[in-house]
Every structure is written in C-alpha cells, then in structure tokens.
Amino acid sequence: MSNASLDWSNLGFGYHETEKRYVSNYKDGKWSEGELTSDPTVTLNECAGVFQYAQTIFEGLKAYRTENGKIVIFRPDLNGERLENSAKRLEMPVYPKDKFVEAVKSVVKANADMVPPYGSGATLYIRPYMFATGPVIGVKPSTEYQFRIFTTPVGPYFKGGAKPITIKVSDFDRAAPHGTGNIKAGLNYAMSLHAIVTAHAEGFDENMYLDPGTRTYVEETGGANFLFVTKDGTVVTPKSDSILPSITRRSLMYVAEHYLGLKVEHRPVRFDEVKDFAECGLCGTAAVISPVGKINDHGKEICFPSGMEEMGPVTKKLYETLTGIQMGHIEAPEGWIYEVC
Ligand SMILES: *Cc1c(COP(=O)(O)O)cnc(C)c1O
C-alpha cells in the first residue's frame, strides 16, 4: 500500500500492511542473522508450539515524526528488556535487547514513508513478537522459534479530544497470583476477550480487574495500567506482582515527579480508596492516558470530580508533557528518545 492513499487522521487502530518486516529464526540453540522481508505471511507446521500450547509473547511501541521531520522511537530498550522477561517466563529463548533495538530501528527505517506526518496525531505502531514454530505435542517448550516485527500506521487515539470513559469492575480475573500477569503474553489476552466483549455489550468501555486473591486491591485493565490523582495532587499507581509493568506508566511517574514537581506513590491501592481520588486514567502506548470519568461497581457508581467532559487537570498536564517529550518539543530525559533517521 502506498502512503498517498492514506488519510492519516482517520486511520483508526487497525492493520495496514506495510512494505517491510523483520524476521529472525531460532534453531539449534541460536538466532539466525535477522533480515527484512516483503512477505507478510507466516507458514508453519500444523503442530507448531504456538498453536498447541500458546507459546507466544509480544511488545508494542510507536515511531513518531517530530516537529523537525525526524523519526524517533520512545524507550525501545525497555520494550526489549520486557520481551526478555516475557521469554524467560514462558521458557522461550531470549532475543537480546540490544539486537531488539537495532531490529526495531531497521524495520522503522525500511518503512519510513509510512511514519505519519508531524501534527497529524497518527503514528507508526510497531509490533515485535515471538512464537514457537517447532512441533510440540507432549507438553514441553518448543526448540524452534520465530521473532518478527511488523509495523502498521495508526490514527490519533482521540479524535476530537479525549472524552472520559466509563469502566466496570469485572467479575472475571485477568491474572492469577504468581501467574503470568506481569509478562506480555498472548495468553493473557485470549482469556480477557470474553470479559471485554461482555463489558462492551453492557455499555462499558473497559474492565477494571481487582486482585484475584482477595478482590480488595486494584490491578489493571485488559491492556493498560491505572493512574490516580489524589485530591491534594499526589499521583498514585497500583503496585502488584501480577500487573504488567507499563512503560508509559513508569514514564508518567517520572514526568510527574521530575517535570511537574508532584508527589508520586507506587503502592498497593485498595479498591475502597478509589472513591476518594480526584482523577483516574489508563496508561499505555496506544493512548498515553485515557481519562476515566466513571467506574461502575455492580450498579454502584464512582464519579470522579473531573467529570465526563474532559481530562482532569493533573492528568492533562501529564498527558501534554509526555506527548511533548515524544514529539520532540519538550526536552527528554537522557536516553528516552532514539533517533531512527
Ligand atoms: C502492554 C500493556 C500495558 C501498557 O504498557 P505500555 O508499555 O505502556 O504500552 C498495560 N497492561 C497490559 C496488560 C499490557 O499488555
């Protein structure tokens, strides 16, 4: 597809095939020299481990066009590190994070004409992933894997301003204690699909999952971490071993403390504290922050003072500062921005 046919501001979040993707195969205990290919298809044996026992992990990040026309990526070293941790937990081979960063840069560079223009609000989404390709029928890790990275242009997450969303406290669990909640694995998403389809059918935008052990602490949503602001302006994010460590959330905490001079707390958050917070947002690569206006707990509503019309004031400052850093008009902390070309 040529970029001339794309209407950047109306792209949405979907798959548009781009010219090149990166592929490296793992066999006989080592990774092949990775390469860029034009072939978007993957052909696998019917017994591949990914089909039988769901050995598959992924990452998600974006390439941005800055004001001066450069293409940059945001903290890809942290995605590389997280993919290493995901691989270890599912007994998959580690794809070294330095090679990961180089691979991400090469695939973005090869699709540079698909990085949307500055100011369009659109970005090039990057999806690195790894899956078991070797045949497995007895339950054990595969001995062969493929690591792949494709890119797809995505539209602005918020069209016409960030309207707060309504979420429900889910009766389903996202992750078991001591399970796989803290890694980015497809299996965590497969079992969240019924919960999100159910929530949508009931008119909610997202699910809030509580800790499955006691149902008293806030965990996260299906694909984003929570961020709360107290009435006196402290930024609070839930801590738990089964929450996926969001890079956006970690970056926002740094911005809150070092750019905005706010107090920050990363600690277990009881669900019964939530009604006392002034603002609530969901953080992840896709939206940076989605403001939450209302939480429905089995019919009982928690309405944040920031309301259903716009982001709360602290959430907005955080959003503007981090997106300013990503787009290159606010100076970034050392090592956050990787220039591709
Ligand atoms: C990817 C993901 C996030 C967000 O992480 P970012 O690094 O900020 O994009 C949050 N929760 C879950 C479950 C995720 O898979």
Side-chain angles (χ1 to χ4, degrees), residues 85 118 151 157-158 163 173 181 198 217 257 289 292 313 320 323:
N85 292 332
Y118 173 79
T151 59
Y157 195 86
F158 300 118
K163 282 275 179 214
D173 293 324
T198 304
Y217 291 92
E257 188 174 359
I289 309 180
V292 174
E320 284 172 354
T323 51

Side-chain angles (χ1 to χ4, degrees), residues 58-60 79 82 174 181 183-184 189 220-225 244-249 283-286:
F58 67 101
E59 274 301 325
N79 295 96
R82 197 165 63 186
R174 191 191 85 86
I183 62 164
K184 216 167 169 73
Y189 280 77
E220 59 172 321
T221 67
N225 286 182
L244 193 281
S246 157
I247 295 162
T248 313
R249 187 255 301 157
C283 22
T285 294

Side-chain angles (χ1 to χ4, degrees), residues 78-94:
L78 296 188
N79 295 96
E81 199 172 287
R82 197 165 63 186
L83 190 77
E84 287 190 358
N85 292 332
S86 299
K88 287 175 191 163
R89 180 65 175 79
L90 293 193
E91 290 294 333
M92 299 167 80
V94 162

Side-chain angles (χ1 to χ4, degrees), residues 311-333:
M311 280 194 181
V314 176
T315 310
K316 186 153 189 237
K317 267 222 128 49
L318 284 167
Y319 176 82
E320 284 172 354
T321 310
L322 187 59
T323 51
I325 288 170
Q326 290 169 334
M327 294 297 173
H329 44 103
I330 296 177
E331 191 172 346

Side-chain angles (χ1 to χ4, degrees), residues 33-50:
E33 192 61 49
E35 58 176 13
L36 294 169
T37 160
S38 298
D39 188 356
T41 60
V42 180
T43 303
L44 292 180
N45 182 272
E46 62 190 349
C47 201
V50 61

